[in-house]
Amino acid sequence: MPRTTDRRVEPDCAPLQTGPADSDPLLQWQYEAQPPSGPGAVRCAGYPRELAMRGIPVACTACRARRDWLLINQSRHVWVRCRCSNQWLEPEITRADFDAMLTGPHLTSYPSLEAAMVALGFDGAFSGAYLE
């Protein structure tokens, strides 16, 4: 089982930066089309399968779900979020593990982490449902 605490550790949400206002519109579009990067960038990846830490299956402490996770990476930290909106820091998942779980070249950028959670269905609206 993952370690949980009463103290919630949330990823920092930095809004996407825009380029200089006086730049060429084509350069502005190229800048905005690039995926966010740097220490403030937050990346999310859906993980529909079961997740096991050291051979022990992970279950949500709030609803007991065993699969269909949202993994959130910022810097070297990875959080696991359930569809019921329960979220915890998972120190056993490294950034390298997160990168290995990314399965496609397609990236979608959202203006904030909250907007991404709503768009992906991890805001609690689909609590108790497995979507596939």
Side-chain angles (χ1 to χ4, degrees):
M1 285 285 168
R3 293 180 293 269
T4 59
T5 63
D6 292 335
R7 181 178 60 102
R8 292 191 49 101
V9 179
E10 299 288 336
D12 296 330
C13 293
L16 297 177
Q17 297 177 355
T18 59
D22 59 349
S23 65
D24 181 356
L26 181 58
L27 294 176
Q28 179 70 24
W29 177 82
Q30 287 176 339
Y31 179 82
E32 290 174 358
Q34 294 176 357
S37 63
V42 177
R43 302 181 305 159
C44 300
Y47 193 77
R49 298 182 304 266
E50 288 188 355
L51 194 59
M53 299 293 135
R54 297 184 185 175
I56 301 171
V58 172
C60 176
T61 57
C63 72
R64 307 307 299 163
R66 294 186 162 274
R67 61 183 174 97
D68 201 15
W69 310 107
L70 179 67
L71 303 176
I72 304 166
N73 170 241
Q74 182 185 22
S75 183
R76 61 185 171 98
H77 302 291
V78 176
W79 288 263
V80 178
R81 186 173 180 94
C82 180
R83 290 218 181 259
C84 75
S85 75
N86 186 29
Q87 176 177 313
W88 63 91
L89 177 64
E90 185 51 68
E92 292 187 23
I93 302 176
T94 65
R95 182 175 178 158
D97 295 333
F98 179 87
D99 290 339
M101 291 179 195
L102 297 177
T103 58
H106 306 291
L107 295 175
T108 303
S109 296
Y110 297 96
S112 68
L113 180 58
E114 289 79 20
M117 288 187 289
V118 169
L120 298 171
F122 285 90
D123 61 338
F126 294 106
S127 182
Y130 287 126
L131 304 179
E132 283 190 44

